[in-house]
Amino acid sequence: MSELSRLTGVGPKRLKALQAAGLHTLRDLVYHVPRRYVDRTRVTPIATLREGDDAFFTCRIDSVQTPPGRLIVKVSDDTGSFELAFFRAARFLTEQLYPGRRISVAGQVKQFRHLQIAHPEWEALREDQEPRGGLLPVYPLTGELAETRAEHKLLQKLALEALSTFHFSDALSEKEREHLGLRPEVESLRVLHAPESMQDVTLALAELKVRELWPLCLRRAQARRERLARGRRFPSTPETTAAEEAVRKALPFALTQGQEDVLASITQALGTGGQFYGLLHGDVGSGKTAVALLAAVRVAGTQDPGDKTRGAQVALLAPTEVLAAQHYRNMEPWLRAAGISVGLLTGDTAPAERRALEASLSEGTLRVAIGTHALLSAAVTFADLRFVLVDEQHRFGVDQRALLTKKGNEPHVLYLSATPIPRTLAQSLYGDLEVLTLTEKPAGRLPVKTRLVPSAKQTELLQFLRTEALNNRNQVYWVVPRIDSEGNDVDAAPAIEGAVKRLRQLGRDGDGWSVEAVHGRVPAPERDRILAAFRRGEIHALVATTVIEVGVDVPGANLMVVEGADRFGVAQLHQLRGRTGRGSAQAWCFLLEPPAIGWSDETDARLRGFASTEDGFKIAEMDLLRRGAGSLEGARQSGFGALRFTDLIADADFIRDLSARAEASLDP
Ligand code: ADP
Ligand code: MG
């Protein structure tokens, strides 16, 4: 039998309704706190009432009329008159509602012919009597619980009874409570269910936030403390300086000031002797890779004094083969320039080559390993793994990232993330990491122009693409979704074939027009061949599923068409769009409206919002506001995703302050 039955007035029917609303235990009931309050602490004059107000006033009855099926009561106060209406079974009310009587009235003001409250709550008042007001809780109701005052009142009564009758243990000790200046939990909860003022509510809520956040903040502070007490120093030495110089010379560009600053923070931390654990986030195309590379050089450039062929090792984990291969291709010449050996290990690596790589990693002769999930396999061991870099970190689970770090001896860790989030949120969410932010992009890039294209304009669009590609050496990404509007996987093949066909029709004899497609079912060698040709500019248009979403870097491709843009979140669209605008040419991103059905108004507004800005931080905020901060991978992983009282976005400062207190509270 449910423990809820022990409460007064909870019979089988009520019990069923409560359970249908997700309330199964006494604890559920007391934590089911009001989402807002109807303020009846103040009486409003009739003259100031507006449609939609939660009105509360005192008045005198002027007249009572009884047209068929209704009861109309006209009332007034010193400021004006007002109408109350009662519909069903109202006849008996005439005995209580009669002209000359003083009453208090509460309810929502509606506009019919004139302002009116239908079925108000009312109470008879003696001549000198104050109305009974207060703050009335409004609970989040679901299922069979109807949205009526009586139901809210009942939930309040049950919660208060549960709080006063049963013993709830407090998760915090008295000492901790004292330290944090908190009342016992039941008291804060009681205030939320029956507050006297809104100040009381604010205070009680703050206490409950502290309660749920404190253990998380404390755990984080401890983890951070432990980390700073271990790790190996990688200070600037003649070898590392020479290696870094060689890599910088090999890079085709100079670092931006933002990149320099972030790199300096990382190398400074690597030189302290504490374990470095950082998150580098920055917009797509902000140049995180070069920073990661130079940080890696600081570690891999350190040689074993006894044997110059060995030394500290670095692993770079990437979520896709395409991306790992690209990193390898880019970094290999730069690292070679510094005399640092590097290998690529993915699911595509041939068995013999894989065995050779594994051997040199376990011997310590291979210094940098770039790879996909293949790096996580048990067969891969390192002689001395000291630095783990994870690109597009949100693509990996905590366990996967841990698998790699466990292959080393408390290695330094740097996560790279192209999901920029507002800085205060990043700090509150990733309080145990050093959060590093790249805000500026390399100079000389034009903003990407984003346009919504009605399906009627598709022919024009195709012509534009052809002209751009053939006359201006531009290249096209054509993206089709892999999921339907409900988020289920679908076969992308028909959409891909359709797009390829439409694009190929643009070709004329002898113009060399070339269109290819890559997607999950294209075998790896074929896919690599296509991507390589696209990179060399030999393919004009590349049709793809979101294979290209992550990290692919082809500076010559500055045109993008996205089909089914409504299936993507704005943050994901931003990632896609970030594939373009990497060179100095004007880049375009076209969101193609589906024929016939079009977009809903909501989608249209969302996509226009996306088209209006290129600021990844703003877009992340749009995404966060729509989906809630709990949707962030980091929130789920840190335990911050399941908070009841705290809002990660609105309370970011609160969390940061509490983290600082947690840190200060640790024994020195
Ligand atoms: P992301 O931060 O999205 O990983 P990348 O590291 O792939 O971005 O860099 C995007 C592009 O910008 C690459 O083509 C890279 O070579 C180029 N790039 C990076 N840093 C600079 C710089 N300081 N100056 C000019 N181009 C740069
Ligand atoms: Mg990247």
Side-chain angles (χ1 to χ4, degrees), residues 205-231:
L205 262 183
E207 287 180 290
L208 290 161
K209 285 178 197 172
V210 170
R211 283 180 167 278
E212 67 182 356
L213 290 171
W214 184 249
L216 295 169
C217 291
L218 207 56
R219 208 182 316 136
R220 239 161 50 165
Q222 266 152 357
R224 187 182 151 90
R225 165 78 55 105
E226 283 162 24
R227 241 186 23 247
L228 292 178
R230 63 180 185 224

Side-chain angles (χ1 to χ4, degrees), residues 284-285 288-289 323 326-327 391-392 416 418 550-552 579 582:
V284 259
K288 295 181 289 289
T289 316
L323 188 54
Q326 176 184 293
H327 280 320
D391 196 12
E392 310 288 342
L416 307 181
V550 179
V552 178
R579 294 310 110 220
R582 300 191 151 221

Side-chain angles (χ1 to χ4, degrees), residues 458 478 480 492-505 543 563:
Q458 207 183 125
W478 187 292
V480 302
I496 289 177
E497 280 161 25
V500 168
K501 195 164 153 230
R502 269 172 289 159
L503 283 162
R504 286 206 172 130
Q505 277 166 0
V543 180
E563 273 187 54

Side-chain angles (χ1 to χ4, degrees), residues 253-256 259 283-290 442 445 553 582:
F253 47 76
L255 295 195
T256 63
Q259 286 171 314
D283 221 331
V284 259
S286 59
K288 295 181 289 289
T289 316
R445 300 220 183 120
D553 188 26
R582 300 191 151 221

